Structure formats: structure tokens, C-alpha cells
Amino acid sequence: MGERFDLYYWPQIQGRGEFPRLVLEAAEADYRDVARLADAEGGGVAAMMRLMEKAERRPFAPPFLIHGNRLVSQAAEISSYCAEELGLAPQDESDRLFARSIALTTADLVAEAHDTHHPIGVGLYYEDQTLEARRRSQEFREERIPKFLGWFESIAAGNPQRSGWLVGERMSHADLGLFQVLEGLRYALPRRMVNIESRYRHIWDIRNRVAQHPPVARYLTSSRRIPFNENGIFRRYPELDAD
Ligand SMILES: N[C@@H](CCC(=O)N[C@@H](CS)C(=O)NCC(=O)O)C(=O)O
């Protein structure tokens, strides 16, 4: 399909929209970030909300994507779909499925990172759950980050292609997703990440190679890359960080 990709996501944050956005940027795809466009251009949050109400295959929440007559929702599903359409997924069927599994596991890590600052209720303010957030963050820092990053590291080290990427011979959406969670964790929990970074040689190498991929490098310095902030998933609350 040669149609343009229309990505819909909240305009003020990287959030979960950043995962498919990175795939579209890395592939230099013809895409629009519709909720960030002006109303006059058919964009804006109101346009996104209207679609969420009236679409035949309604998404539960942003991000979602429209490509031709297809509507795809769920960040990991959108990333996998775009990558497969745009040549950023492995060719081999087993590798392609593994890349999808990695993307879904990355989404699990994202959900846990979100729950560090919202352990009790998604709809409650952070300030109303700070004590629980401290407890949750400690467990996340000490147990969950090493478990997830150790898993990524073992996959990269054990890739039978010896390509240095997570799966297959070339960079895929799995690597782009890993890049994004490493950036997010480093933003949110700098003390913890500095302390443990040296354990994960292979995945930091992937992070660096993704950042140097020319379309990604151009994107990261463009105004399209929204800075991390305290409305997104990865938030820097110093009281939730420690060595
Ligand atoms: N599992 C979904 C989660 C989608 C999601 O939670 N989106 C958030 C923004 S990052 C949202 O707008 N949620 C509204 C809600 O859950 O009511 C995905 O990975 O895309």
C-alpha cells in the first residue's frame, strides 16, 4: 500500500505514541501526526476524539493509526504493523514473530514504568499516591528494571545472526522500542540507570546505533521530537529515584 500513514496521539507528550512514531521516522515514511495539526488542516485533539467515537473498529485509547482503510490500535501492534509495511521488520517468519513479542514485552515494561508514579489509580493525581509510588518505584528500580534489561541483554548477546541487533540481521522496530525505553528510563531514573548501565553492554550499543541511524538522528534533533516531561509515561520525580 502506498497510502500515507495517519498517526493519532496526544500532542503534548511522547508517551506510547513515540513507539510507532519512531518507526515511521526511521523509515522516513509519508506520515502525519494528526492531533498535532491545526483544526483547519483536519487535525487537532477534537478530530482524534471524534474518530475514537465513530470509527467502525474503535480504539480504546490513543495511539491509533489509519492507513488506507485499516485502523490499527495498541502501540506495539501499530509499531509492528508499520515496521512490516515499511521494511523495518525481519523477513524470516519466526524472527518477525519474535520482533512482535519483543515489542509487546517492551509495552509491558512501559506499563510498569507508568505504574511507578500511578500505582493506585490512573485517574488520580500523582500527589494523591506518592507514598505508594515510592514503594512501587523501589521494587521497579531494584527488581523489575534489572529483570527486563537483563532479558533484552541476553537476547542481543544471543542473536544467532551475531548482528548486534535484537533479532535478525538488521535494525528492526524491536530495536527502536528498546531505544525508546532506555531513553525514557534514563530520563526518569538517572541515578539508578547510571549505576547499572555498565551491566548491559549489548543493549547500550543498540541504543547508540539507533541514535546514529541518520533518519532517527535527524528526528531526535527536530521539533517533532517532544521533550520528555512530567505529563508523559517516563517522569522525573527525584523522590522516586535512587542508586
Ligand atoms: N495498551 C495500550 C494503552 C493505551 C493507553 O493507555 N493510552 C493512554 C495514553 S498513553 C490513554 O490515553 N489512556 C486513556 C485511558 O486509558 O482512559 C497501548 O499500548 O497502546
Side-chain angles (χ1 to χ4, degrees):
M1 276 207 280
E3 288 103 325
R4 183 178 60 200
F5 294 78
D6 273 350
L7 176 66
Y8 290 80
Y9 192 65
W10 304 111
Q12 317 291 356
I13 58 172
Q14 291 182 20
R16 290 178 169 93
E18 196 65 10
F19 293 87
R21 192 181 285 121
L22 269 171
V23 177
L24 294 163
E25 290 283 350
E28 298 184 288
D30 177 14
Y31 88 100
R32 300 193 308 172
D33 215 330
V34 182
R36 291 172 73 185
L37 298 176
D39 295 1
E41 296 174 89
V45 170
M48 177 170 86
M49 300 313 277
R50 275 196 300 278
L51 254 175
M52 284 184 59
E53 287 299 318
K54 74 169 176 55
E56 189 182 340
R57 297 181 171 87
R58 291 183 57 207
F60 175 75
F64 60 93
L65 176 96
I66 294 185
H67 186 221
N69 60 5
R70 301 171 181 178
L71 191 154
V72 187
S73 57
Q74 293 282 348
E77 177 74 354
I78 307 166
S79 299
S80 303
Y81 172 77
C82 291
E84 289 168 18
E85 289 285 308
L86 293 164
L88 277 174
Q91 290 294 315
D92 174 79
E93 179 66 10
S94 301
D95 283 347
R96 196 173 268 246
L97 288 170
F98 190 37
R100 285 181 163 248
S101 303
I102 296 170
L104 286 161
T105 308
T106 305
D108 290 343
L109 170 54
V110 169
E112 292 197 24
H114 169 272
D115 289 352
T116 58
H117 48 80
H118 278 76
I120 300 297
V122 175
L124 302 175
Y125 289 111
Y126 167 64
E127 290 70 23
D128 294 330
Q129 43 194 321
T130 50
L131 284 180
E132 295 89 349
R134 280 174 192 248
R135 287 190 66 193
R136 182 67 185 250
S137 295
Q138 182 180 1
E139 202 256 355
F140 182 68
R141 286 192 315 266
E142 293 175 5
E143 307 295 335
R144 302 300 288 171
I145 292 180
K147 182 163 183 179
F148 274 107
L149 297 193
W151 179 76
F152 283 115
E153 179 72 9
S154 70
I155 287 170
N159 181 344
Q161 310 287 337
R162 295 279 173 256
S163 61
W165 299 111
L166 283 174
V167 52
E169 289 171 9
R170 295 188 297 135
M171 182 182 78
S172 74
H173 63 101
D175 302 295
L176 293 165
L178 173 62
F179 166 84
Q180 179 61 13
V181 290
L182 290 175
E183 292 299 277
L185 290 172
R186 196 143 73 165
Y187 172 77
L189 302 167
R191 286 177 59 189
R192 180 60 175 153
M193 292 304 286
V194 163
N195 192 22
I196 61 174
E197 263 178 33
S198 61
R199 298 183 201 168
Y200 308 111
R201 192 170 57 78
H202 290 87
I203 61 173
W204 284 108
D205 184 56
I206 289 176
R207 182 259 162 229
N208 293 336
R209 287 202 287 157
V210 167
Q212 285 159 18
H213 177 62
V216 172
R218 282 193 291 276
Y219 165 62
L220 293 176
T221 54
S222 77
S223 59
R224 299 190 301 285
R225 173 80 163 176
I226 302 166
F228 284 108
N229 62 53
E230 278 55 60
N231 294 313
I233 304 228
F234 295 103
R235 302 187 186 187
R236 181 173 289 179
Y237 293 132
E239 63 274 23
L240 301 186
D241 194 11
D243 301 341

